Amino acid sequence: MSLACGLPLLECVYCLGCARWAWKRCLHSGDRDSATWGLASADDFAPVPRLCRLIMANYDHHPCHPLDARCVVRRRTYADTRGRVTPYLLYLDHPNSDIVLALRGLNLARETDYALLLDNRLGKRRFHGGYVHNGLLRAAAWVLDAECDLLRDLLAHHPDYTLTFTGHSLGAGIAAMLTVVVLLNLDKLGTNLHRSRIRCYAMAPARCMSLNLAIRYADVINSVVLQDDFLPRTATPLEDIFKSILCLPCLLCIRCLRDTCIPEDAMLKDPRRLYAPGRIYHIVERKMFRCGRYPPVVKTAVPVDGRFEHIVLSCNATMDHAIIWIEREAQKALDLMLEKEKTMEVPSEQRMERNESLQREHVEEHKAALRRAVTLSVPDARSPSAYGTFGEQPERSESFPPASAMARQRMSWNDLIERVFDRDESGHIVLRSSPSP
């Protein structure tokens, strides 16, 4: 009798727990992801609209103005890449002293793009102390194998130019992997190439690297996300959701009624899960339960335990992923930033001091993110040294062979990456502890 009387109460608690989870997870709006982040500066965000237009030049019918054909060094189509990578172009941006390699996004009509995106499973590829997307890493190796000599010549002829990798969607993930591999092998692109000359802007990137790598390279890689874009988000696994809903002890505890069943740092328990790379620039233009678009605001941070891990059910999720909308809203946000600075009439000296202080703040924010990752026990997270992360000496992986060994024989980038790994007795790919002879 007592058990029968307790069943309705148990059903009520179960329904309350499910409703709480639905409210916290399914009705989450995109603007809450960056509610506590700081505002981005115009100087840091200025390259984004320009790079979006370069990416759109890879499309057959792009709405942007045509590029200067004299500055297009090389253009690769699907016929040239044979499905190994999305089309890309190499462009010399003389007004901005920049060498840009821009990759287009996923083509819904190409099966090879789907094969590239789906060439991965959880924990399939270990790389540099973390996990990366296997298909995107192979695509990056193909691009570097084809363009390494040309990039080396361009960097030698333009020693004052920066090297920028950029892309959209699937191409953004490839651009991020390109950046990581190049940073680990700077000597292959020239003796005078330093980390400070390389940067990456990933527009609506695919999830391509584990959390420790995403934080470690946040000083070079920048991800741009428009409001409710679905692709950069690392959703909670379905097995965790079912465990939270069906776990009777969890539903009976008081915490279930006042907090979500899934803890905020649940994703941190699995080091194999992939995230959007680097520093995040979040363009916010809509708010929950409000109609219409607002003037776009750009917020930035290097998040650790709140890195787009929420489900966002929005009718704009796919539209926010389009490169044309990202370029349009990014240009509008940049114009508002410049107009605000012009209205304030900030003197040039004070503007330079402000930019220097913002750079110092970014360095400190990166160090704080690394410390935060260490406190949360993120595997292979490195605490910043006393000399910071922007040293003059280029970073190098201990697993890669030295330049002297590479000079004795011609080796492709794909072979170079393969030399980093071994197979254990069970046949799984594992990271080598020391370089091969």
Side-chain angles (χ1 to χ4, degrees):
M1 185 67 179
S2 59
L3 180 61
C5 295
L7 287 178
L9 179 60
L10 182 61
E11 292 179 358
C12 292
V13 174
Y14 184 86
C15 292
L16 286 176
C18 294
R20 181 65 175 176
W21 174 87
W23 176 261
K24 297 289 288 185
R25 291 290 171 177
C26 297
L27 297 183
H28 181 85
S29 61
D31 62 290
R32 297 183 182 179
D33 291 317
S34 57
T36 59
W37 297 4
L39 296 176
S41 64
D43 292 335
D44 293 336
F45 193 72
V48 173
R50 169 174 57 88
L51 296 176
C52 286
R53 289 187 283 270
L54 286 177
I55 296 171
M56 287 191 289
N58 286 294
Y59 293 80
D60 297 332
H61 304 284
H62 57 86
C64 65
H65 298 289
L67 301 178
D68 187 354
R70 297 170 298 179
C71 297
V72 179
V73 181
R74 180 167 294 175
R75 186 189 293 269
R76 298 284 190 181
T77 63
Y78 279 108
D80 300 321
T81 63
R82 298 180 180 180
R84 300 292 185 88
V85 67
T86 57
Y88 62 90
L89 62 86
L90 198 56
Y91 187 80
L92 277 178
D93 191 352
H94 294 294
N96 296 281
S97 300
D98 198 8
I99 303 171
V100 183
L101 197 155
L103 301 100
R104 71 157 287 166
L106 176 72
N107 189 342
L108 298 178
R110 289 279 179 173
E111 295 181 1
T112 54
D113 286 3
Y114 290 105
L116 181 63
L117 182 63
L118 298 177
D119 182 16
N120 190 62
R121 65 175 183 271
L122 193 64
K124 180 177 182 179
R125 173 73 82 164
R126 280 187 60 87
F127 183 80
H128 192 43
Y131 292 88
V132 297
H133 191 288
N134 181 67
L136 300 184
L137 181 61
R138 289 185 175 276
W142 191 94
V143 174
L144 289 174
D145 218 17
E147 311 299 342
C148 180
D149 295 336
L150 180 57
L151 287 174
R152 187 190 302 112
D153 294 339
L154 291 175
L155 290 169
H157 284 87
H158 304 280
D160 297 331
Y161 281 30
T162 56
L163 176 60
T164 301
F165 299 103
T166 186
H168 169 247
S169 185
L170 183 64
I174 299 173
M177 298 312 306
L178 278 167
T179 307
V180 174
V181 176
V182 167
L183 286 175
L184 295 174
N185 299 269
L186 291 175
D187 52 343
K188 291 201 68 177
L189 293 180
T191 57
N192 296 325
L193 184 61
H194 298 284
R195 185 187 181 102
S196 58
R197 291 181 61 189
I198 299 176
R199 58 183 180 174
C200 173
Y201 285 89
M203 315 300 175
R207 302 179 294 273
C208 58
M209 61 183 66
S210 56
L211 185 59
N212 60 329
L213 295 179
I215 299 171
R216 190 184 306 170
Y217 292 98
D219 58 324
V220 180
I221 302 177
N222 305 279
S223 294
V224 181
V225 180
L226 176 61
Q227 189 76 23
D228 298 332
D229 188 6
F230 66 96
L231 191 60
R233 299 182 179 275
T234 304
T236 304
L238 290 178
E239 58 268 20
D240 293 342
I241 295 175
F242 292 139
K243 286 179 182 178
S244 299
I245 295 178
L246 300 177
C247 181
L248 183 60
C250 175
L251 292 174
L252 293 178
C253 67
I254 302 178
R255 179 180 179 274
C256 180
L257 299 177
R258 62 179 175 85
D259 200 1
T260 179
C261 295
I262 306 173
E264 293 296 329
D265 58 347
M267 303 300 299
L268 299 177
K269 298 179 180 179
D270 193 346
R272 302 170 299 171
R273 203 156 300 281
L274 305 182
Y275 291 81
R279 170 177 290 274
I280 307 293
Y281 288 90
H282 193 201
I283 306 175
V284 180
E285 58 174 359
R286 296 183 301 272
K287 296 183 179 180
M288 190 67 174
F289 301 122
R290 297 186 184 181
C291 300
R293 296 177 180 268
Y294 286 76
V297 176
V298 182
K299 296 188 175 183
T300 181
V302 186
V304 179
D305 51 347
R307 199 178 187 86
F308 291 110
E309 298 166 4
H310 297 279
I311 300 173
V312 177
L313 298 181
S314 172
C315 58
N316 300 301
T318 55
M319 185 176 64
D320 289 345
H321 186 68
I323 184 63
I324 184 173
W325 277 105
I326 297 175
E327 188 274 335
R328 185 176 303 177
E329 297 301 324
Q331 185 64 57
K332 189 184 301 182
L334 180 61
D335 293 340
L336 291 175
M337 293 180 192
L338 296 175
E339 183 180 356
K340 183 179 180 181
E341 290 185 356
K342 184 178 180 180
T343 304
M344 296 175 62
E345 297 182 355
V346 181
S348 58
E349 295 182 359
Q350 294 184 5
R351 186 177 303 174
M352 292 178 60
E353 294 178 357
R354 178 174 176 270
N355 292 335
E356 292 177 357
S357 64
L358 286 175
Q359 293 297 327
R360 289 193 296 269
E361 290 178 2
H362 284 178
V363 173
E364 293 299 326
E365 186 178 14
H366 188 204
K367 293 180 181 179
L370 290 171
R371 287 192 292 266
R372 173 64 174 163
V374 172
T375 58
L376 290 175
S377 300
V378 176
D380 294 309
R382 301 178 182 177
S383 182
S385 63
Y387 301 99
T389 57
F390 296 86
E392 294 296 328
Q393 297 297 328
E395 182 181 349
R396 187 164 189 75
S397 172
E398 298 177 356
S399 302
F400 281 80
S404 59
M406 294 296 300
R408 287 194 290 266
Q409 57 180 350
R410 175 75 173 177
M411 179 181 296
S412 68
W413 284 86
N414 200 30
D415 294 337
L416 176 64
I417 294 173
E418 292 297 333
R419 288 189 60 176
V420 181
F421 307 100
D422 270 331
R423 291 186 179 272
D424 56 13
E425 296 179 354
S426 60
H428 297 290
I429 296 177
V430 296
L431 188 68
R432 288 185 178 178
S433 58
S434 61
S436 60

